[in-house]
Amino acid sequence: MTTLTAPLAPAVRPPSAAVRALRAVAVVACVPYLALKVSWIAGGRLGIPDGSALLEMPALMALANSVTVLMDAAVIALALLLTQTWGRRVPAALLVLPTWAAAGLLAPIMTAFPLQLLLGDSPGVTPPDETPFLDPWVFTVVYGGFILQGLALGALFVRYAKERWGHLWQGPVAGLPRPAGRTGAAGVAGAVLAAACSVPHLLAACTGHGSAAGQALSVNARLVSGVHGAFALTAATGLLVLALRLGGRIPLRAVLAAVWTGSGVLGCWGGWMLATGTMAGNAEAAPLADLLAYAVQVITGLLALVGGRSLFARLRQQREHTG
């Protein structure tokens, strides 16, 4: 996907009122999170209760908060890029990779948080004998903002991608060109890895036990694990359909959307958890088995990206050949 090129539309329309509204929502939804993070970097403790683990490693938390400030600021940059006429001239890699990462990081939150409100405990609630990580209101404000970001940014990207590359994914899966060389095998391998990645998440969701010995999971944690497992299975199914050209009448764009989101969840959350677990340097908080699982998730996400790049190159060639 990272080398997609396509001719510009004959006339690039200025953004409509609806597009401008979506852009405003995406930008404004970033403000609460950015304000909290900047406050914490500056030494503030808004929303952090006494005894929170966040206060035990101030230097590490300042670094992590700085990284997440840049990540959320990237949402604002993407919202502008997707709605400005100059955005059509941006190289695909500068757009596809951060948007894929945003989709992967936001999709589980957008899915799990409403489920927690409906089926789980109140977000941020901790057992009476444990010190809360953050004040409960922080989760509502931050995750609510993330959901708005995801909805607005997702709608803007779908519009942008349809206008710039939509001609490449018309029709059903049956119309896909045959995989070249080892592409098909790589797709099957990615599907197998994605399915394997779903196993620990689904086991945790079903049994209520984490990877650490004796670790009991809350209802909220089980819901999160179940959501991650479901996205991993979504990626596995989509990769297998593309690699073997299964389900001939299924719209190609639906399968691509499934792989896009599922592989983003695997790769980006795997990378985030791997980075934070390594930085923490705490074997109890980040068991070796978990770190290995996160590394496999990253590999699976990268395989999907490489496979997507090859697929779109073949779709472009097919389009040029058929006129």
Side-chain angles (χ1 to χ4, degrees), residues 216-268:
L217 301 178
S218 66
V219 174
N220 283 350
R222 294 177 68 176
L223 288 170
V224 171
S225 293
V227 165
H228 278 268
F231 275 115
L233 284 180
T234 298
T237 303
L239 287 168
L240 198 62
V241 167
L242 293 177
L244 303 180
R245 300 197 302 175
L246 303 174
R249 294 188 177 182
I250 299 175
L252 177 58
R253 60 181 179 272
V255 182
L256 290 174
V259 174
W260 169 270
T261 307
S263 66
V265 172
L266 282 172
C268 298

Side-chain angles (χ1 to χ4, degrees), residues 78 95 117 143 183 190 206 216 237 250 275:
L78 285 172
L95 171 67
L117 293 177
Y143 288 171
T183 304
C206 294
T237 303
I250 299 175

